[in-house]
Amino acid sequence: MSGPLRLRAPSGAHFVLASASPRRLDLLARIGLVPDAVSPADIDETPKPRELPDAYAERVAWEKANAVAVAHPDAFILAADTVVASGRRILPKAETEATARKCLGHLSGRRHKVIGAIRLIAPGGETRSRIATTTVAFKRLTDMEIDSYIASGEWDGKAGGYAIQGMAAIYIRTLSGSHSNVVGLDLYETHALLAGLGFRYGGSHA
């Protein structure tokens, strides 16, 4: 019997996700794309002095894709980077409670941007890229709300100290742009890149 539609690379080429993010893996599954391999890039993601958020996101996505392409020259490589930015300031990935509290305090009552850079390298070296920007407005957070969110643990490892797909959704007043971009990968832009390089849907059989 016919199974679910799958998004497939042209000519049976392999597709490699250059990311360790389970969120990006889950997002790709929503559009029927299952990587043949997951190969996180080992690069230095430290922002350069005075580097703007857009330029930083694009550079890191580019470096991730290039690093993984060396080991998979005959595959399609998809890399992405997500940046939470307040004006020209890049908010860090929260690895400690102190960092998460500082991020949440800064986002409280303010608008910020989530910038997602996507880079796709095809076999043979052809490269395509897109950038997506989503504007997010937080309500003014009370100390109790920040304490509750810290206790949830959802902030751990998240850019800007929050995950929109969890408890933080109740603190967001408005969102303009792609929701999936804030989660970790703009699905509209990603699909457009893949379709432009020949990815098509086909049924599976069970």
Side-chain angles (χ1 to χ4, degrees):
M1 59 180 291
S2 295
L5 286 177
R6 291 276 296 275
L7 190 59
R8 302 181 185 281
S11 304
H14 278 205
F15 171 71
V16 178
L17 176 62
S19 173
S21 168
R23 296 174 297 283
R24 292 193 179 116
L25 201 59
D26 290 344
L27 286 166
L28 289 174
R30 293 186 194 179
I31 60 171
L33 185 57
V34 178
D36 296 293
V38 175
S39 181
D42 183 17
I43 65 167
D44 182 2
E45 298 186 34
T46 305
K48 296 178 184 289
R50 296 182 295 281
E51 189 170 30
L52 295 178
D54 310 53
Y56 169 77
E58 289 184 294
R59 175 179 65 81
V60 171
W62 183 84
E63 290 181 1
K64 287 178 180 178
N66 278 4
V68 172
V70 171
H72 301 274
D74 298 320
F76 286 89
I77 311 296
L78 179 69
D81 192 63
T82 303
V83 173
V84 175
S86 178
R88 299 165 64 92
R89 177 179 179 183
I90 299 171
L91 297 189
K93 185 179 292 186
E95 305 289 358
T96 66
E97 287 191 11
T99 301
R101 284 185 183 278
K102 188 173 181 179
C103 287
L104 292 170
H106 182 81
L107 296 174
S108 175
R110 292 190 174 104
R111 286 184 175 84
H112 66 275
K113 291 183 177 181
V114 178
I115 300 163
I118 307 164
R119 177 77 62 161
L120 181 64
I121 300 179
E126 184 179 357
T127 303
R128 304 280 181 89
S129 62
R130 296 283 179 97
I131 191 161
T133 301
T134 306
T135 301
V136 182
F138 262 62
K139 72 182 287 290
R140 188 169 296 281
L141 301 174
T142 66
D143 290 343
M144 184 177 295
E145 285 170 330
I146 292 177
D147 288 343
S148 294
Y149 193 70
I150 294 299
S152 75
E154 290 183 356
W155 53 268
D156 192 12
K158 307 299 191 302
Y162 77 95
I164 196 173
Q165 66 272 30
M167 181 180 171
I170 65 175
Y171 304 140
I172 293 171
R173 293 190 295 107
T174 62
L175 182 149
S176 177
S178 167
H179 181 275
S180 63
N181 181 46
V182 184
V183 178
L185 187 68
D186 186 309
L187 291 179
Y188 174 83
E189 299 291 2
T190 299
H191 181 265
L193 285 179
L194 295 169
L197 286 176
F199 280 69
R200 296 291 182 267
Y201 283 99
S204 61
H205 297 278

